[in-house]
Amino acid sequence: MEIVASKAFIGAMAGLSAVGTAVGAVSSIQQGNYQKAMYESQAQYAEIEAKQQSIQYEQQGLNALDESLKVVSQINARPRNLDPFSGSTGNLSIQALAGGYRDLTTSRRSSEIAVDSGRYQSALHIGAGRQAQLQGQIQAVEKIASTGMQLASMG
């Protein structure tokens, strides 16, 4: 009678162990999925942040060009009897516009770099999310395999 009760107890414990393992495995998978979702949110945020920075760079370039146009307007509004060593109004206007255009071009390139950087950061976060999800799945398989080995050793 004692042996039958002992086998029943071992069977019940094995069943509880299997249920606990299943719950733990599901939990590991869910944790990996939650981490993946968190990383995906961070990826979206990185892209939004990069786009905002890009817009700021573009605005700086446009502001620089506006300033150049103001300088050209001021040059053109001056009387034509300029100092002979200061250059012609045409040359001064060209130099003012060249500086504004240079700043605009630099700002646009900075904008592109900001967007590319955001995409890169986003890709890193997405990759980390996939890795977290995979790690959760691996942990689930390890838990199931470990419990299977323990149950097999119990006989």
Side-chain angles (χ1 to χ4, degrees), residues 70-139:
K70 286 179 189 175
V71 169
V72 169
S73 295
Q74 290 171 351
I75 291 169
N76 289 332
R78 290 187 181 170
R80 298 292 176 193
N81 56 358
L82 289 173
D83 179 7
F85 298 108
S86 65
S88 70
T89 56
N91 286 340
L92 292 174
S93 296
I94 289 172
Q95 293 218 349
L97 284 176
Y101 181 74
R102 186 175 44 251
D103 290 344
L104 177 66
T105 303
T106 301
S107 295
R108 284 192 176 158
R109 185 63 191 130
S110 296
S111 172
E112 292 169 5
I113 290 170
V115 169
D116 290 345
S117 176
R119 286 185 187 138
Y120 178 74
Q121 287 294 323
S122 176
L124 289 177
H125 288 303
I126 288 171
R130 288 181 184 145
Q131 186 62 35
Q133 184 181 38
L134 179 63
Q135 191 62 35
Q137 294 167 350
I138 290 171
Q139 287 176 356

Side-chain angles (χ1 to χ4, degrees), residues 22-32 143:
V23 169
V26 169
S27 174
S28 292
I29 290 171
Q30 285 179 337
Q31 183 180 6
K143 287 178 183 184

Side-chain angles (χ1 to χ4, degrees), residues 10-88:
I10 291 173
M13 292 307 290
L16 286 175
S17 178
V19 169
T21 297
V23 169
V26 169
S27 174
S28 292
I29 290 171
Q30 285 179 337
Q31 183 180 6
N33 290 339
Y34 291 142
Q35 285 180 330
K36 180 183 179 199
M38 178 196 63
Y39 281 118
E40 286 174 349
S41 294
Q42 288 177 348
Q44 289 174 343
Y45 180 75
E47 287 191 27
I48 290 169
E49 195 174 45
K51 186 61 179 170
Q52 287 175 335
Q53 190 176 18
S54 168
I55 290 169
Q56 289 173 350
Y57 283 129
E58 288 179 11
Q59 187 61 49
Q60 287 173 356
L62 292 174
N63 291 345
L65 191 58
D66 283 345
E67 285 300 315
S68 295
L69 291 174
K70 286 179 189 175
V71 169
V72 169
S73 295
Q74 290 171 351
I75 291 169
N76 289 332
R78 290 187 181 170
R80 298 292 176 193
N81 56 358
L82 289 173
D83 179 7
F85 298 108
S86 65
S88 70

